[in-house]
Amino acid sequence: MGKKNLIHSALTRVAVLLPSVFYAFSGVAQSTLSERLNYVLETQDMDMGLKLYQEITDADIKQLPDSSLFDYHYLGGYLNSEIPNHEKAIDHLTEAKRLCETSLGTHSGEYMEIMRGLGDEYIDLGKYEDALAIFQEGITKSMYMRNVASHDFGNLIMGVQDCYELLGWFNEIPNHLSDAWSFWYKDETPLVTYTYFPLWRLEQFYKRYGMYDNAISVSLLIEDFIKTKGGNTHPELAEALYMKGNILVEMNKTDDGIKALQDGIFILQDNGMSNSELYGMLSSNLLMALISAERYDESAALLKDIQQYSVNTQMPDTYKNALFSAANRTANMSNYAKAIEYNTTLLSLNLSKEESDVIENQKSTILYNKNVVESLPALEKTFATLKIGEDDWFETGHKLSSAYYLVKDFDKNGIVLTAMYKAIDLNKSIGADYYLWVISNLYGLSLEKGEHQDALRYAMEKIDYLTTIDDVPDNYRYNALNDLVVAKMKSNTLDGIDSDLECIEKFYRNQYGENSSEYATYLHNRGRAYQLQNKLDAAKETYLKSITLLNKVDGKPFERTVKYYMEVEQQLGEL
């Protein structure tokens, strides 16, 4: 059971390779405690294991031989890890480790599993250096068994990789995963993702940090390995093509990504797996890629397949989610006719009240944007003829600015927003209703165009304005303060930024908690400010906290955080 199998369960479509038990263990209740512990570990019956664990007394423990005592602590470590009660799990696993080192020996897969599990518990507690020491000790003491128990040994090496990533030692990671692959037993059957797990981890590492060329190189190695072991139509190849296709799409190599995803679907169909979970994932991602490439005939055919898949699997949400995403994607591409088509189909389905409300809101947004964009020529004409500063003029300017934003005409949008900004002084009784909207949009537009001093000016003006208004929600004030911090960093005008960030930190910690993406955003900005202030050690530490936190809550950090982190590493190396 152990952490090795927990690693299996974390993978998509990875078969958990558990020992097979083909016999009925008769008279379990009448068996000795040692036999019952052994049975639980062989069958991995966790309900029975929990019941047994809770029944064992201190007197029972004193009577157990070392081998059964090891089983007890092995079981206790696993169960407490799942609760989770990390401290108690560590106590059990440490005792199991002691038994191996003093009585049972360290030349076994069970010892390596114990060491991997113990290291993982320290990682969960944020004690990364302690975890690293455990993994390294396990590798040293298991060196003799590295070829016989290659998976367990490789998992220890990948534990080192986990620690290196958490500690920010990114440059060491590829070599360690390559080492794990060199020891990995590559002929295990059936052929599943775990068969090439170190390569899978390396591909994911590169993808996670935007190193797409390296990720694709590993994808090709994985493809070659699967084809060599299982042939060109092995279903596991569909998993590899799913990963490869997603990477290519993220690289903006959409056509290549589409081909990879399509090939993955063809392989599943050839293997009679059109109702598998992976088929749903492949088809959903392929649909978005086809729409992005404006290949609407193909996307229409695929949508029918997704609809049938939803019926076959009795998962109607798959089809609903595909239509909802398709409507949003086409609307963002200004193809409002297609967006309405997808939205209308969605509204014709059997929906809950909550779903209907969300989709009706989507429809309203699409129709409003469609109307604004289609009215752009008329809005331009009206805006030019109305008297500056009048109510109708402001309302028309609001719509015209929105239209320019939707069609991404930043220059004309800037002209309209600036005209509205200047006109507010002429008619404050009317213009005040638009003031906050105007300066917020001018701030965003200035950042988009790289006009950072203008962005700083608008951010400061927004802060000043909010202080004059009663009952402004706290999150609005602090988001405005965060905008000011960003503008200060972009313009390299850092006066007062430390106190600004201190205020933001307190609010984000209290409002969202220290385990939130919002707090990770604060850490990113705090790290960037440190970097610009040439406080490089503090910047490195803070960036790493942001990376670690976002890996935990979102599964992926901001690419900019990783980019800046690596810049700091280079700067520290030059000092």
Side-chain angles (χ1 to χ4, degrees):
M1 112 187 27
K3 288 290 182 175
K4 179 180 70 172
N5 293 332
L6 292 181
I7 294 167
H8 288 195
S9 65
L11 287 169
T12 304
R13 290 187 61 257
V14 177
V16 180
L17 308 177
L18 308 181
S20 299
V21 179
F22 296 106
Y23 58 89
F25 193 92
S26 60
V28 171
Q30 289 74 39
S31 302
T32 67
L33 178 55
S34 293
E35 289 172 328
R36 293 170 70 193
L37 281 166
N38 183 64
Y39 176 74
V40 164
L41 293 178
E42 279 191 333
T43 61
Q44 300 200 3
D45 186 331
M46 285 301 96
D47 291 334
M48 183 184 296
L50 179 60
K51 182 179 179 182
L52 178 60
Y53 175 75
Q54 292 171 337
E55 291 175 356
I56 295 173
T57 66
D58 290 342
D60 293 328
I61 294 171
K62 291 178 182 179
Q63 301 301 317
L64 289 173
D66 284 353
S67 59
S68 299
L69 191 58
F70 173 88
D71 289 346
Y72 166 71
H73 287 299
Y74 194 143
L75 176 64
Y78 175 85
L79 292 173
N80 281 285
S81 176
E82 289 292 283
I83 292 173
N85 185 334
H86 299 301
E87 296 289 357
K88 197 166 185 179
I90 286 173
D91 290 341
H92 278 296
L93 295 171
T94 301
E95 188 60 21
K97 173 179 179 287
R98 184 193 67 79
L99 287 165
C100 287
E101 293 170 344
T102 60
S103 173
L104 304 176
T106 59
H107 294 161
S108 69
E110 287 78 9
Y111 171 75
M112 295 184 217
E113 287 187 35
I114 287 292
M115 297 300 279
R116 177 69 209 240
L118 186 55
D120 283 347
E121 295 304 317
Y122 281 122
I123 285 177
D124 287 338
L125 290 173
K127 298 179 178 181
Y128 306 136
E129 292 182 354
D130 290 338
L132 179 59
I134 287 291
F135 292 136
Q136 289 174 331
E137 181 184 356
I139 288 170
T140 300
K141 292 181 178 178
S142 303
M143 191 65 69
Y144 177 79
M145 293 287 292
R146 64 185 181 274
N147 292 320
V148 178
S150 63
H151 283 177
D152 296 314
F153 191 78
N155 278 323
L156 287 173
I157 295 176
M158 285 185 284
V160 171
Q161 178 246 314
D162 289 334
C163 293
Y164 280 0
E165 188 164 350
L166 292 165
L167 290 166
W169 303 347
F170 296 107
N171 293 331
E172 303 291 336
I173 290 172
N175 287 337
H176 272 73
L177 288 174
S178 296
D179 285 345
W181 178 237
S182 70
F183 289 115
W184 205 253
Y185 180 63
K186 302 175 178 65
D187 295 322
E188 187 174 42
T189 56
L191 175 57
V192 293
T193 306
Y194 195 67
T195 313
Y196 55 90
F197 189 38
L199 286 182
W200 185 91
R201 288 278 294 255
L202 183 57
E203 176 190 48
Q204 295 304 301
F205 167 74
Y206 283 136
K207 178 179 183 291
R208 188 156 56 248
Y209 296 109
M211 304 177 197
Y212 295 121
D213 289 335
N214 290 337
I216 287 297
S217 295
V218 180
S219 298
L220 296 175
L221 290 177
I222 291 172
E223 277 189 67
D224 290 342
F225 174 78
I226 295 171
K227 290 176 181 177
T228 300
K229 295 294 182 181
N232 292 343
T233 59
H234 192 282
E236 184 60 27
L237 190 58
E239 173 79 23
L241 289 167
Y242 171 74
M243 297 295 182
K244 178 184 176 183
N246 292 338
I247 294 167
L248 287 166
V249 170
E250 287 187 27
M251 296 173 71
N252 293 320
K253 295 185 176 181
T254 306
D255 288 338
D256 291 337
I258 286 171
K259 184 179 186 310
L261 294 169
Q262 286 175 330
D263 288 345
I265 287 177
F266 294 151
I267 288 170
L268 288 183
Q269 290 171 336
D270 287 344
N271 284 275
M273 297 173 64
S274 293
N275 288 338
S276 68
E277 180 182 356
L278 180 58
Y279 179 87
M281 295 160 60
L282 275 163
S283 58
S284 296
N285 286 17
L286 175 59
L287 177 66
M288 292 299 99
L290 287 170
I291 289 174
S292 296
E294 300 184 83
R295 292 162 63 167
Y296 291 115
D297 289 341
E298 294 170 84
S299 63
L302 181 59
L303 258 177
K304 291 181 180 179
D305 291 342
I306 293 174
Q307 182 181 22
Q308 188 60 52
Y309 169 84
S310 293
V311 172
N312 294 342
T313 59
Q314 296 184 340
M315 294 192 298
D317 285 352
T318 304
Y319 183 50
K320 293 177 185 177
N321 290 337
L323 286 167
F324 187 79
S325 298
N328 282 338
R329 179 65 58 87
T330 47
N332 290 336
M333 296 166 62
S334 298
N335 189 338
Y336 298 110
K338 274 291 178 187
I340 290 296
E341 177 186 326
Y342 294 135
N343 177 267
T344 301
T345 302
L346 189 50
L347 284 169
S348 70
L349 303 179
N350 184 23
L351 304 172
S352 68
K353 176 64 167 60
E354 182 179 7
E355 288 173 333
S356 181
D357 289 344
V358 170
I359 297 161
E360 284 287 356
N361 184 62
Q362 182 191 56
K363 177 182 178 180
S364 297
T365 301
I366 293 169
L367 288 174
Y368 176 82
N369 291 346
K370 175 177 180 291
N371 180 63
V372 167
V373 169
E374 290 178 350
S375 301
L376 203 158
L379 289 169
E380 288 176 323
K381 182 177 180 180
T382 302
F383 189 66
T385 57
L386 290 171
K387 184 178 180 181
I388 295 174
E390 294 295 323
D391 191 25
D392 288 349
W393 182 85
F394 276 113
E395 178 61 27
T396 303
H398 179 273
K399 292 180 179 178
L400 183 56
S401 173
S402 298
Y404 284 140
Y405 173 80
L406 290 168
V407 300
K408 298 178 175 57
D409 192 331
F410 300 132
D411 290 336
K412 288 184 178 180
N413 192 19
I415 293 171
V416 172
L417 287 169
T418 301
M420 293 177 72
Y421 176 75
K422 291 178 179 179
I424 286 170
D425 277 341
L426 300 177
N427 195 340
K428 292 185 178 178
S429 62
I430 297 175
D433 294 337
Y434 297 91
Y435 178 62
L436 196 56
W437 180 85
V438 168
I439 58 173
S440 294
N441 279 275
L442 281 170
Y443 166 82
L445 186 62
S446 297
L447 286 183
E448 189 78 37
K449 296 170 68 176
E451 297 169 352
H452 298 141
Q453 288 295 333
D454 286 342
L456 177 61
R457 176 165 57 88
Y458 293 127
M460 294 176 66
E461 189 171 335
K462 184 176 180 179
I463 291 286
D464 291 341
Y465 179 69
L466 289 175
T467 61
T468 68
I469 302 176
D470 295 329
D471 300 326
V472 175
D474 285 341
N475 66 318
Y476 205 90
R477 290 186 191 276
Y478 284 97
N479 288 341
L481 185 58
N482 193 65
D483 287 344
L484 177 61
V485 165
V486 171
K488 284 183 176 182
M489 291 190 295
K490 291 287 188 181
S491 62
N492 204 23
T493 306
L494 304 179
D495 293 345
I497 198 168
D498 291 328
S499 60
D500 293 337
L501 284 163
E502 184 178 337
C503 291
I504 291 169
E505 191 275 337
K506 289 179 181 177
F507 175 73
Y508 277 23
R509 176 160 36 83
N510 293 330
Q511 181 77 7
Y512 305 110
E514 294 184 24
N515 291 316
S516 63
S517 57
E518 289 85 0
Y519 196 79
T521 300
Y522 152 73
L523 289 170
H524 168 89
N525 288 335
R526 174 70 276 187
R528 182 59 173 163
Y530 280 140
Q531 184 182 4
L532 293 171
Q533 292 167 330
N534 205 35
K535 299 175 181 178
L536 300 181
D537 288 324
K540 179 178 177 179
E541 179 183 355
T542 309
Y543 281 143
L544 183 57
K545 288 179 181 178
S546 178
I547 290 167
T548 302
L549 178 54
L550 277 174
N551 272 333
K552 180 180 178 182
V553 298
D554 289 342
K556 182 179 180 180
F558 302 131
E559 287 186 17
R560 284 180 297 119
T561 312
V562 177
K563 174 179 177 290
Y564 293 151
Y565 180 89
M566 291 182 171
E567 286 179 0
V568 168
E569 279 196 320
Q570 292 175 351
Q571 289 173 286
L572 285 169
E574 294 171 358
L575 295 177

